[in-house]
Amino acid sequence: MARALAPLLGWTAVLVAELPAVAAWDKDGHEAIGMTTMSALETTAVAQVKHLMGGKDAADVAAWAHKVNKKYPWTTELHFQRQPTTRCERAQTTDCKDNKCLMKAILHFYGRLVGKDLAQISWPNGIKLTDADCLKYLITLMGDMAQPLHFGTAFTDVGRNITVDFRGRTTNLYDLWDKDMIQAIIKAQPGFWWGGWTHVQRTRVEYEKDSEQFKKEHETLLSRWADESARFLSESVYRNPLTGKQILEELDSRGVFRLSEELFETWKREMLSRMLVAGARTAIVLNSILHHREGQLHAGTAVSHLDGEDDEEEVAKGPPRKGRKADIPRVGKHHWQGPAAFLANLCIGSVAMFAFLVLMRLWAGPDRVSQGNREKRLSQGKKI
């Protein structure tokens, strides 16, 4: 079956090669990774992120780079590291024209932030990304690196050419990992998804191990993390981990792979684990950058008027949030601190005390007048 479908998949890959590829994890997925990142950031790093992002945090900007894709379609390629085969032990990163691929992009933005020339990417029209732009890009791309199909093959169009039957609904392998499993979890277990599972404590051992390694290896470790994703895709996604067979060998007569509930549960656990690790590793990279460049990075953006950004600003001013992000401060709200807050409280207290005394005087006033009149009458009566 796989051999019979090979020509069809090959031609389809050629036909869609020039089309923009879809984004990585959906908004909920990227937000979950961003929340895990925030839980692992050092206190000073949190403050710096807030400053650079204009009051936002890693969860707010986790999918920012995908909005850039709509304005500059060529940037879509920065999110993918296509592999030559479905069976690989490590990520192949040499086939990357003009450095427009996932791993070169990560090295580019990381290098920009730490002052190293690791990979050059040319932006058109003289656009020069700011430090904040580079940080937002890095947050998004670190999340993308954990999505295994971002290391998919051109032959399968990173999984979009593999049709999947998921609970009676037709989707494809890429979308299954990108959004379908996430939305299935949210629908079936909303209490779990919004209940705070995105905390680094759930992957503490991995986090501490990776932290120590990054202190020694720095950007070299990034390629090892890429190898993990490529190997996982080869061994546990393109290959059915329950049967040991390539999923292309398990297509039915219609050329469809039927996803069993058992495999869904297996992939779901792996997906959630990869999201936690992705958030923890993003925090490791950000902690390192912001520690060594404290106070040296600049806010602002060179990429404005993105689709969805204005909508998010309106949401920030709207009704109270629900779910995991309910505790995130709203953008644009001014909070007084320090001496200003003390003086404001002092003025409020003084006004309140004055009002209290006036009310007490008014309340006690009539009784005192009445008492004075009684005493005056009594004194006059005694004289008579």
Side-chain angles (χ1 to χ4, degrees):
M1 178 64 72
R3 292 180 180 178
L5 287 172
L8 176 60
L9 289 172
W11 277 108
T12 307
V14 172
L15 290 173
V16 301
E18 300 302 322
L19 296 176
V22 289
W25 308 108
D26 68 0
K27 187 177 184 298
D28 290 312
H30 270 294
E31 179 185 302
I33 294 173
M35 293 298 289
T36 306
T37 297
M38 292 304 298
S39 74
L41 283 181
E42 298 169 356
T43 304
T44 55
V46 171
Q48 291 183 75
V49 168
K50 294 278 189 179
H51 166 69
L52 291 170
M53 304 305 169
K56 296 183 179 182
D57 65 16
D60 294 311
V61 303
W64 175 84
H66 294 301
K67 299 174 185 177
V68 179
N69 297 346
K70 297 180 181 180
K71 188 168 186 177
Y72 300 106
W74 68 267
T75 61
T76 301
E77 290 305 312
L78 301 182
H79 300 265
F80 294 88
Q81 192 71 53
R82 290 176 173 80
Q83 300 300 296
T85 175
T86 58
R87 307 184 186 193
C88 53
E89 289 297 320
R90 57 188 305 174
Q92 193 276 106
T93 60
T94 56
D95 185 12
C96 181
K97 184 179 180 181
D98 299 326
N99 289 337
K100 294 176 181 178
C101 61
L102 177 59
M103 294 313 299
K104 293 296 185 182
I106 288 177
L107 290 174
H108 169 74
F109 294 115
Y110 174 79
R112 283 277 306 272
L113 290 167
V114 299
K116 295 182 180 180
D117 186 5
L118 300 177
Q120 285 295 320
I121 297 177
S122 299
W123 281 73
N125 304 322
I127 295 176
K128 184 175 177 59
L129 298 183
T130 65
D131 293 331
D133 290 333
C134 292
L135 196 66
K136 287 185 283 189
Y137 246 116
L138 193 59
I139 291 170
T140 301
L141 297 179
M142 288 293 295
D144 291 346
M145 183 165 59
Q147 213 278 41
L149 271 304
H150 276 249
F151 292 83
T153 65
F155 173 70
T156 64
D157 190 26
V158 296
R160 287 188 295 172
N161 289 346
I162 301 177
T163 304
V164 177
D165 183 323
F166 177 43
R167 294 177 174 174
R169 190 175 69 84
T170 300
T171 183
N172 63 68
L173 190 61
Y174 182 91
D175 285 345
L176 179 73
W177 276 86
D178 181 62
K179 59 183 180 180
D180 293 335
M181 288 197 293
I182 293 173
Q183 296 308 315
I185 297 171
I186 294 176
K187 182 178 179 180
Q189 300 173 282
F192 163 77
W193 186 267
W194 305 113
W197 66 274
T198 51
H199 197 283
V200 72
Q201 288 293 348
R202 290 178 175 264
T203 184
R204 172 60 62 179
V205 174
E206 188 80 13
Y207 171 70
E208 292 178 349
K209 182 187 70 174
D210 287 341
S211 295
E212 291 303 314
Q213 288 182 326
F214 195 81
K215 291 176 183 178
K216 301 174 183 177
E217 302 181 40
H218 302 290
E219 64 271 12
T220 304
L221 186 58
L222 296 173
S223 63
R224 298 235 312 270
W225 291 345
D227 291 340
E228 287 182 12
S229 289
R231 186 162 50 249
F232 174 77
L233 174 65
S234 175
E235 297 177 353
S236 299
V237 179
Y238 277 140
R239 186 182 72 171
N240 186 333
L242 301 181
T243 65
K245 295 181 179 179
Q246 296 291 308
I247 61 174
L248 287 177
E249 298 175 356
E250 296 186 332
L251 305 183
D252 62 20
S253 58
R254 299 175 298 134
V256 176
F257 177 75
R258 188 177 298 278
L259 179 65
S260 67
E261 284 299 316
E262 184 180 5
L263 181 55
F264 166 71
E265 290 296 329
T266 299
W267 278 352
K268 182 182 77 172
R269 288 192 297 271
E270 292 288 354
M271 181 190 71
L272 295 175
S273 175
R274 295 186 67 79
M275 285 181 170
L276 287 170
V277 171
R281 288 175 172 176
T282 302
I284 290 170
V285 175
L286 265 56
N287 280 333
S288 175
I289 294 171
L290 298 173
H291 174 72
H292 291 95
R293 298 295 306 278
E294 184 173 359
Q296 301 176 36
L297 302 180
H298 299 89
T301 182
V303 188
S304 57
H305 306 297
L306 298 178
D307 288 347
E309 287 289 288
D310 293 338
D311 295 338
E312 288 187 0
E313 293 298 330
E314 290 301 317
V315 170
K317 301 175 184 177
R321 294 170 177 173
K322 298 179 180 180
R324 284 198 303 268
K325 300 188 72 176
D327 60 343
I328 297 176
R330 295 186 181 280
V331 179
K333 294 292 183 181
H334 180 68
H335 302 278
W336 287 356
Q337 297 180 351
F342 172 76
L343 290 175
N345 289 332
L346 181 61
C347 290
I348 294 172
S350 299
V351 171
M353 179 60 70
F354 175 76
F356 174 75
L357 293 175
V358 170
L359 289 173
M360 289 297 294
R361 184 179 182 84
L362 291 174
W363 175 76
D367 289 340
R368 290 182 177 179
V369 172
S370 299
Q371 183 179 358
N373 290 334
R374 287 195 299 271
E375 291 177 353
K376 185 177 181 180
R377 287 195 297 270
L378 288 172
S379 64
Q380 291 175 348
K382 290 178 179 179
K383 291 179 180 179
I384 294 174

